[in-house]
Amino acid sequence: MGEMQAVFIDRDGTLGGTGHFIHPRDFTLYPRALEAIALLKGSGLRIFAFTNQHRIARGEAAIEEFEEQFRTYGFDQAYICPHSSEAGCACRKPGIGMLLQAAAEHGLDLARCAVIGDVGDTDMIAAHRAGALKILVRTGWGEGSLTEFKHRWPDIEPDYIAAEIWEAARYLINR
């Protein structure tokens, strides 16, 4: 497989918040989320945000507000789908448009990348389709993704299940 190149990290329910939309100005990170990002960056990995934010299409937030938020957290770049689920775009997770765009822009082999997220039927399906390492966190929708919503992604198993983002980062560094 070779050296890991990059990590794609979901926002809501993975880095902080509740799993539901929260405007960037009101968003609260989980404990040690920034440490997790710093740990991953310190190991030489590139860090990308990987998030569906359909409220942008509704005018409830601007894509620039999210990009600025991710910059302040130390992300190298943010890949954000602003479209509604009805838009039929290629970027909305579980589609892999954002991953393909990042791979093209940064010369990545997606088989040498990881996705960290809390939602089985978006984050984990996208990672699976792209051939990336799948790390599910139990925060946000993670617990539900493993139980009552497992039927939405029945044939896919995460490569690793972490309590939260810090454990996910430590796993990636130590594997």
Side-chain angles (χ1 to χ4, degrees):
M1 182 168 148
E3 279 297 294
M4 188 65 61
Q5 294 176 320
V7 187
F8 292 87
I9 304 176
D10 170 60
R11 188 189 87 133
D12 301 288
T14 300
L15 282 175
T18 59
H20 293 283
F21 170 79
I22 297 174
H23 193 283
R25 71 174 160 262
D26 303 318
F27 188 76
T28 306
L29 287 165
Y30 292 139
R32 307 195 81 179
L34 287 179
E35 288 175 73
I37 293 165
L39 179 70
L40 292 166
K41 281 195 82 160
S43 75
L45 289 165
R46 281 174 282 181
I47 311 298
F48 301 117
F50 178 49
T51 182
N52 289 346
Q53 294 294 343
H54 69 273
R55 302 294 184 101
I56 294 169
R58 293 194 205 164
E60 294 176 39
I63 199 163
E64 294 77 16
E65 293 173 299
F66 286 97
E67 289 169 343
E68 178 56 30
Q69 177 182 42
F70 290 120
R71 254 195 308 280
T72 64
Y73 294 166
F75 280 74
D76 293 304
Q77 194 167 334
Y79 291 91
I80 302 164
C81 169
H83 308 111
S84 72
S85 52
E86 294 78 51
C89 62
C91 48
R92 187 175 174 83
K93 299 183 289 190
I96 63 169
M98 291 188 280
L99 296 173
L100 294 173
Q101 182 187 348
E105 290 175 358
H106 297 278
L108 303 174
D109 173 0
L110 291 172
R112 293 168 59 194
C113 297
V115 171
I116 303 174
D118 66 317
V119 181
D121 64 353
T122 58
D123 302 313
M124 296 302 104
I125 290 178
H128 176 76
R129 288 176 176 168
L133 191 76
K134 304 174 291 295
I135 302 177
L136 185 81
V137 289
R138 291 183 179 271
T139 48
W141 295 103
E143 207 59 60
S145 286
L146 290 167
T147 55
E148 61 186 302
F149 300 114
K150 187 66 179 94
H151 66 278
R152 295 186 184 174
W153 56 299
D155 303 324
I156 298 169
E157 292 300 327
D159 294 296
Y160 187 76
I161 299 169
E164 32 65 51
I165 186 78
W166 172 249
E167 186 191 327
R170 285 202 355 251
Y171 165 76
L172 263 182
I173 297 307
N174 295 322
R175 66 185 284 282

